[in-house]
Amino acid sequence: MTVSLDLIDVDSLLTSEELDIRATARRFADERLRPQLPEWFESATIPARDLAKELGALGLLGMHLTGYGCAGLGPVAYGLACLEIEAADSGMRSLVSVQGSLAMYAIWKYGSEEQKTEWLPRMAAGEAIGCFGLTEPDFGSNPAGMRTNARRDGDDWVLNGSKMWITNGSVADVAVVWARAEDGVRGFVVPTETPGFSAPEITRKMSLRASVTSELILEDVRLPASAMLPEARGLSGPLGCLNEARFGIIFGAMGAARDCLETALDYAAERQVFDKPLSAYQLTQAKFADMSVELNKGILLAVHLGRLKEKGVLRPEQVSVGKLNNVREAIAIARECRTILAANGISGEYPIMRHANNLESVLTYEGTSEVHQLVIGQALTGQAAFR
Ligand code: TGC
Ligand code: FAD
């Protein structure tokens, strides 16, 4: 693909450091990920440990955190890396998001010095994989109802319950688990080798197949007092982590959309229908024009929100605007591109159907589109309509 999709020159808003990070992530996505993804998606297996180490060596894990072996880069650089990785596959971006923005961020933001020094350098290097257990079988959008509980037994904590749909669960070395304690929701750093902890993998997914998704089962998991995250109290702890991961998705979803659009543009240039290239028809060009407008608006929105985050003024409802819009538009773009490839659009020979299927998960996780509508609705009306 030779034509730039950056019609409004968003690149002019980026620093040379941000462009360098983007180039590094793009190279890794093109050379290491893209060639393997059809096979990983079809077989629903990924070399998670190898990938984590390779991503760690490039400085892409917890890259927006400071200290403890993390790269300490800005939010826009982090977002651009998510965009390039998700242009290969949303499942790959999930690996990066859950590691850096959920598991590492929880420890970095709320952990004790001991927890930080024990886990963060290994996680930044990809030598230890983390997962983040908030969702339960009966409580997804409403984590306030969680049943997983933590009770004191002498100095120890004993955790019981289960978590569902947990990315990286079966391959994780450490799980950040949110549980109800006497004084409300608290977070715990759980080494996955702890007796009573297990993480069976969820199979038969039709979406995000190049990602490990698991149930977490906690049966009398006994932890020392030091396992609790001391600085997280109540639901604002896990929700604070979600802001970070949702921010990465605002960029990431545009990567999946861009890959679909590039594929469809290339295809339409080659495909002859009624004796001329598909790209020469007005109907096709109208589709391309509309999709590229949404892609450019989405990336511009992402960079703008990144600049607000850089200044430390990004509000949760602004993150919801980005996540709602960009994932919704990415799915619309993937589906429209699929029509351009017609029958070939459903084939695994092309990435479009894989992106479209993946984006169904992205629409649901990190807050469903309905939850984000309600967050925005609350900001506009002052009325919380969640319950
Ligand atoms: P509410 O009463 O509004 O708030 C409870 C406390 O939390 C604070 N808060 C936030 N803090 C930081 N960031 C946010 N975005 C926050 N939203 C709320 C709030 O101020 C309050 O603090 P305090 O100190 O007064 O206690 O809570 P609610 O129970 O009414 O729920 C609000 C709602 C529905 C928006 C929230 O529960 C929600 O976002 N639900 C969606 C759950 C979700 O997104 N789960 C994601 C799980 S992780 C995941 O999907 C990973 S996929 C990753 C991948 O593979 O890439
Ligand atoms: P529900 O909450 O049961 O929602 C069902 C429907 O009801 C949705 O359409 C929803 O929008 C709607 N709804 C809910 N509440 C309201 C309301 N108040 N008003 C109107 N409509 C409403 N979770 C983690 O904790 N960690 C992970 O690593 C993780 N990884 C995931 C990976 C994948 C591939 C997937 C698919 C999910 C993952 N999740 C993870 C879980 C994800 O966050 C939840 O699926 C999501 O929060 C929605 O919860 P739910 O599926 O239980 O849907």
Side-chain angles (χ1 to χ4, degrees):
M1 164 104 212
T2 47
V3 179
S4 169
L5 288 176
D6 182 13
L7 294 174
I8 55 173
D9 202 12
V10 180
D11 277 9
S12 65
L13 304 175
L14 305 176
T15 66
S16 58
E17 185 183 56
E18 288 162 350
L19 291 168
D20 285 349
I21 306 291
R22 182 178 73 177
T24 302
R26 188 178 291 186
R27 205 173 316 115
F28 182 72
D30 285 345
E31 291 172 7
R32 169 66 169 126
L33 304 180
R34 206 178 295 281
Q36 302 295 325
L37 272 155
E39 170 54 26
W40 292 343
F41 189 87
E42 196 158 339
S43 64
T45 49
I46 57 166
R49 294 219 154 263
D50 292 346
L51 288 173
K53 284 184 192 142
E54 291 165 48
L55 289 160
L58 291 174
L60 297 178
L61 300 178
M63 61 187 280
H64 59 310
L65 307 179
T66 48
Y68 308 98
C70 303
L73 292 160
V76 173
Y78 168 63
L80 292 168
C82 288
L83 188 153
E84 294 303 332
I85 303 284
E86 193 152 356
D89 193 271
S90 302
M92 296 292 111
R93 197 266 310 133
S94 269
L95 176 59
V96 171
S97 296
V98 170
Q99 178 83 351
S101 283
L102 294 179
M104 290 175 73
Y105 181 82
I107 296 171
W108 182 84
K109 176 82 179 165
Y110 307 120
S112 64
E113 196 53 37
E114 184 192 346
Q115 289 164 339
K116 292 180 198 184
T117 45
E118 179 177 1
W119 289 107
L120 292 179
R122 289 162 59 202
M123 292 173 85
E127 281 157 16
I129 297 181
C131 69
F132 181 90
L134 179 63
T135 304
E136 298 190 354
D138 294 327
F139 296 97
S141 300
N142 179 23
M146 72 173 67
R147 292 202 186 100
T148 299
N149 64 81
R151 78 178 155 79
R152 285 315 293 243
D153 185 21
D155 280 348
D156 291 350
W157 288 100
V158 180
L159 267 56
N160 277 287
S162 68
K163 298 287 173 182
M164 195 64 184
W165 299 109
I166 306 305
T167 301
N168 295 350
S170 314
V171 293
D173 302 284
V174 60
V176 171
V177 174
W178 301 94
R180 185 178 302 291
E182 245 176 25
D183 59 348
V185 171
R186 305 297 301 239
F188 295 86
V189 179
V190 184
T192 55
E193 71 209 5
T194 312
F197 181 97
S198 58
E201 189 165 352
I202 296 172
T203 55
R204 297 190 168 182
K205 286 180 299 172
M206 308 299 283
S207 170
L208 228 75
R209 289 174 61 78
S211 172
V212 176
T213 317
S214 316
E215 186 180 356
L216 305 185
I217 300 171
L218 300 118
E219 289 173 334
D220 286 331
V221 172
R222 182 171 287 275
L223 300 165
S226 60
M228 192 179 71
L229 293 170
E231 305 301 332
R233 281 190 181 76
L235 213 51
S236 60
L239 294 181
C241 302
L242 298 187
N243 292 333
E244 299 297 306
R246 289 169 179 172
F247 173 78
I249 290 173
I250 296 171
F251 280 85
M254 289 295 102
R258 188 193 70 198
D259 197 51
C260 291
L261 193 44
E262 283 180 354
T263 304
L265 276 162
D266 285 345
Y267 185 89
E270 295 297 319
R271 178 73 175 174
Q272 302 283 316
V273 292
F274 295 92
D275 305 322
K276 64 177 186 180
L278 178 54
S279 57
Y281 290 89
Q282 289 183 351
L283 281 176
T284 313
Q285 292 192 9
K287 290 180 183 180
F288 283 139
D290 288 350
M291 289 190 286
S292 66
V293 167
E294 288 310 325
L295 180 76
N296 277 266
K297 278 156 63 181
I299 297 175
L300 187 60
L301 171 61
V303 172
H304 169 64
L305 295 177
R307 296 295 176 224
L308 294 183
K309 190 163 166 51
E310 228 165 62
K311 292 185 203 141
V313 296
L314 183 62
R315 297 193 303 273
E317 68 269 24
Q318 296 172 324
V319 174
S320 287
V321 169
K323 206 253 175 186
L324 176 65
N325 182 76
N326 285 11
V327 180
R328 196 159 63 181
E329 293 306 325
I331 290 198
I333 289 172
R335 289 180 183 156
E336 189 80 301
C337 287
R338 212 286 305 155
T339 69
I340 291 171
L341 273 73
N344 277 324
I346 72 155
S347 165
E349 295 297 316
Y350 296 90
I352 292 178
M353 197 75 171
R354 176 164 55 77
H355 284 306
N357 280 6
N358 285 341
L359 287 165
E360 296 293 338
S361 287
V362 182
L363 193 71
T364 284
Y365 66 35
E366 294 290 355
T368 63
S369 46
E370 293 81 5
V371 160
H372 291 295
Q373 285 174 317
L374 292 171
V375 171
I376 297 166
Q378 182 178 9
L380 292 173
T381 66
Q383 313 272 354
F386 301 107
R387 41 177 71 80

